[in-house]
C-alpha cells in the first residue's frame, strides 16, 4: 500500500511540475512565435510601402487595388536623374547657372527610366507576393485601401493603408492569448494587428510598429 501511495505521489508531483513548466513556458513560446510572425509581416508591409511610394511618385496618388500595384511593380518604370559634374565656384563666379552649364555641355543631367522591380527589390522578388501575408501556414491577403484626406487648412493629402489582423497573423496559436492581445489593443485604442499608413489621418505612411 505504501509503495502504491508513493508511486501516486510521484505521479502527482510530475504532473504538477509539468503544469508549472507549461504555465511558464507556454507564454514564452507564444511570444517567440508572435515575434517571428510579426517580423516577416512587418517586412512585407515595408515592401508594400516602398511600392506605394514609388507609385505615388509616378502617378501622384496611391492605389487601393492590388492588381494595379502589382502590375506597376512588375512592368512599370521610375525616373531617375543621372548627374555628371557640378557647378564649380569658378563657374558661379563667371555667372553660370546650372541651365547655362547644361547648354554648354559642362555638366550633364539625364533623366533615365529604370524598372520599378529592379530599382526597389532584389532580382528574386515576386511582385505577386506583395498582397499576401507571408506565413507558410496561412493563405490570406493584406487589406489595402487608398484615400485623399483634406486637412484643416484645406490641403488634400493622398494616403494609403495596408493591414492584417492578429487573427490572421497569429492563426493557429493559443486562442486565449490572441484574444487577450486583441483586447489589450482595443483598450489602448490601437489596431489589433499590424498596419502601415492610415485612411483616416496623416501619419506620414508610418507603420503602427514604429
Amino acid at each position: 500500500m505504501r509503495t502504491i501511495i508513493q508511486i501516486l505521489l510521484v505521479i502527482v508531483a510530475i504532473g504538477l511540475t509539468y503544469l508549472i513548466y507549461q504555465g511558464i513556458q507556454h507564454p514564452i513560446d507564444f511570444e517567440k512565435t508572435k515575434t517571428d510572425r510579426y517580423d516577416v509581416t512587418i517586412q512585407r508591409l515595408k515592401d508594400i510601402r516602398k511600392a506605394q511610394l514609388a507609385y505615388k511618385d509616378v502617378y501622384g496618388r496611391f492605389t487601393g487595388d492590388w492588381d494595379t500595384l502589382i502590375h506597376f511593380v512588375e512592368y512599370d518604370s521610375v525616373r531617375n536623374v543621372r548627374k555628371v559634374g557640378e557647378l564649380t565656384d569658378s563657374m558661379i563666379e563667371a555667372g553660370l547657372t546650372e541651365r547655362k552649364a547644361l547648354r554648354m555641355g559642362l555638366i550633364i543631367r539625364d533623366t533615365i527610366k529604370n524598372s520599378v522591380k529592379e530599382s526597389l527589390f532584389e532580382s528574386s522578388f515576386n511582385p505577386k507576393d506583395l498582397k499576401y501575408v507571408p506565413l507558410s501556414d496561412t493563405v490570406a491577403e493584406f487589406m489595402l485601401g487608398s484615400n485623399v484626406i483634406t486637412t484643416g487648412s484645406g490641403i488634400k493629402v493622398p494616403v494609403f493603408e495596408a493591414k492584417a489582423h492578429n487573427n490572421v497573423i497569429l492563426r493557429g496559436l493559443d486562442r486565449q492569448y490572441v484574444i487577450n492581445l486583441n483586447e489589450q489593443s482595443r483598450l489602448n485604442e490601437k489596431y489589433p494587428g499590424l498596419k502601415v499608413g492610415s485612411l483616416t489621418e496623416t501619419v506620414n505612411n508610418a507603420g503602427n510598429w514604429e
Side-chain angles (χ1 to χ4, degrees), residues 178-189:
V178 177
I179 291 173
N180 294 345
L181 188 64
N182 291 339
E183 179 64 12
Q184 182 180 355
S185 296
R186 186 188 69 80
L187 292 175
N188 292 327
E189 298 182 347

Side-chain angles (χ1 to χ4, degrees), residues 56-113:
K56 180 176 177 290
D57 283 343
V58 175
Y59 295 104
R61 65 185 188 279
F62 295 113
T63 178
D65 179 73
W66 277 123
D67 290 340
T68 299
L69 188 62
I70 290 169
H71 186 275
F72 169 74
V73 174
E74 185 75 76
Y75 301 108
D76 218 323
S77 58
V78 291
R79 292 179 176 86
N80 292 310
V81 177
R82 181 173 68 96
K83 294 185 176 183
V84 178
E86 297 289 343
L87 283 177
T88 64
D89 292 340
S90 59
M91 290 179 185
I92 296 173
E93 290 173 1
L96 288 179
T97 63
E98 186 170 274
R99 181 174 297 180
K100 288 181 180 179
L102 283 170
R103 286 201 302 264
M104 296 172 66
L106 299 174
I107 60 176
I108 298 173
R109 298 291 184 268
D110 286 337
T111 300
I112 57 178
K113 289 186 176 182

Side-chain angles (χ1 to χ4, degrees), residues 9-27 29:
L9 289 174
V10 170
I11 293 173
V12 170
I14 292 173
L16 288 175
T17 301
Y18 177 76
L19 289 175
I20 293 172
Y21 172 80
Q22 284 292 92
I24 296 173
Q25 189 64 33
H26 199 49
D29 291 341

Side-chain angles (χ1 to χ4, degrees), residues 90-189:
S90 59
M91 290 179 185
I92 296 173
E93 290 173 1
L96 288 179
T97 63
E98 186 170 274
R99 181 174 297 180
K100 288 181 180 179
L102 283 170
R103 286 201 302 264
M104 296 172 66
L106 299 174
I107 60 176
I108 298 173
R109 298 291 184 268
D110 286 337
T111 300
I112 57 178
K113 289 186 176 182
N114 293 321
S115 161
V116 174
K117 179 181 174 180
E118 292 177 358
S119 298
L120 300 183
F121 302 102
E122 296 180 356
S123 58
S124 60
F125 182 78
N126 184 358
K128 294 181 178 65
D129 290 339
L130 273 175
K131 65 179 179 179
Y132 293 112
V133 180
L135 302 171
S136 59
D137 60 350
T138 298
V139 179
E141 295 182 9
F142 288 100
M143 296 179 64
L144 181 70
S146 63
N147 194 15
V148 177
I149 296 176
T150 302
T151 65
S153 56
I155 299 174
K156 294 185 180 299
V157 180
V159 294
F160 83 95
E161 179 181 86
K163 63 184 180 181
H165 199 280
N166 280 330
N167 291 349
V168 172
I169 302 172
L170 305 178
R171 185 176 295 165
L173 301 188
D174 189 291
R175 182 61 184 159
Q176 189 58 54
Y177 285 165
V178 177
I179 291 173
N180 294 345
L181 188 64
N182 291 339
E183 179 64 12
Q184 182 180 355
S185 296
R186 186 188 69 80
L187 292 175
N188 292 327
E189 298 182 347

Side-chain angles (χ1 to χ4, degrees), residues 189-206:
E189 298 182 347
K190 295 182 179 179
Y191 176 68
L194 292 170
K195 73 170 186 172
V196 61
S198 172
L199 297 180
T200 58
E201 56 183 332
T202 55
V203 296
N204 198 30
N205 309 311

